[in-house]
Amino acid sequence: MRQLLLLRHAKSSWDDAMLSDHARPLNARGRQAAAAMALHMQELGLAPDIVLVSSARRTLQTLEALQPMDSSPIIEVMDDLYLAPWQRLMETLRTMPETARSVLLIGHNPGLHELGLALLGAAGAALGGVHARRLSEGYPTGALAEFTIAGPWGQLQDGGGRLVRFLAPRDLPEVAA
């Protein structure tokens, strides 16, 4: 079994209208949520072998909040992931080496949300319980979806993932308080 972790960047700032979308940083709430998610991921033992991250400032800052990771993953910063549609994200995941047990992808909506729904598939959405229902309802900033993938990365397809959990920052005591 392989593990796929989909993490949407944490909440970003809209304070500086002169900044391009690509250059927007995390706001204070986003930094707090990213740090809380990092702690929770460590507690769950989520340790990716490879991290794929969009080149946008807010995704890179989300990754910074996760550091250091116990697994010392290979980190690939990719311009192609910036606001990528779900099909592009799926294509990228299909190129992962078969030796990679766990991959973390840090990206943006709507592509990340649509990728999660595609991996879940119609059957998974119908039978997936509370996590699938929450994923279907939306993908808030800082949220994490954990999937198990039964087949090889190169054959990843619609309905090819089993949703293990879906966590949003508001679910974490450090953020909800």
Side-chain angles (χ1 to χ4, degrees):
M1 283 293 197
R2 289 166 178 74
Q3 177 185 66
L4 175 59
L5 306 169
L6 302 178
L7 180 64
R8 184 175 174 202
H9 65 80
K11 193 144 202 65
S12 60
S13 173
W14 292 90
D15 291 346
D16 187 346
M18 300 302 291
L19 285 179
S20 70
D21 181 71
H22 193 270
R24 285 190 301 113
L26 296 182
N27 65 19
R29 188 171 140 204
R31 287 190 300 276
Q32 177 194 16
M37 188 61 75
L39 180 63
H40 202 69
M41 288 173 69
Q42 285 179 335
E43 289 171 356
L44 291 170
L46 303 178
D49 301 316
I50 298 175
V51 176
L52 306 174
V53 61
S54 159
S55 60
R57 185 174 179 192
R58 59 193 178 271
T59 52
L60 294 171
Q61 288 181 328
T62 300
L63 173 61
E64 285 174 18
L66 303 180
Q67 307 274 1
M69 290 186 220
D70 293 338
S71 59
S72 301
I74 295 168
I75 297 173
E76 293 186 44
V77 178
M78 302 176 71
D79 290 333
D80 259 8
L81 298 181
Y82 174 64
L83 301 179
W86 74 270
Q87 297 92 335
R88 177 68 189 116
L89 299 175
M90 183 83 82
E91 289 169 13
T92 301
L93 291 169
R94 287 184 188 129
T95 68
M96 293 298 96
E98 293 307 324
T99 55
R101 180 197 59 77
S102 177
V103 174
L104 167 61
L105 190 154
I106 305 173
H108 310 267
N109 268 358
L112 206 60
H113 185 213
E114 292 167 353
L115 174 63
L117 294 174
L119 289 168
L120 192 58
L127 302 172
V130 66
H131 293 293
R133 180 182 48 76
R134 290 187 63 213
L135 173 62
S136 296
E137 291 171 354
Y139 212 114
T141 53
L144 174 74
E146 178 187 354
F147 288 89
T148 56
I149 308 296
W153 292 113
Q155 295 175 16
L156 188 61
Q157 60 187 337
D158 293 13
R162 186 179 67 79
L163 185 62
V164 175
R165 76 183 88 240
F166 184 76
L167 295 170
R170 69 178 174 260
D171 302 326
L172 307 177
E174 302 89 339
V175 178

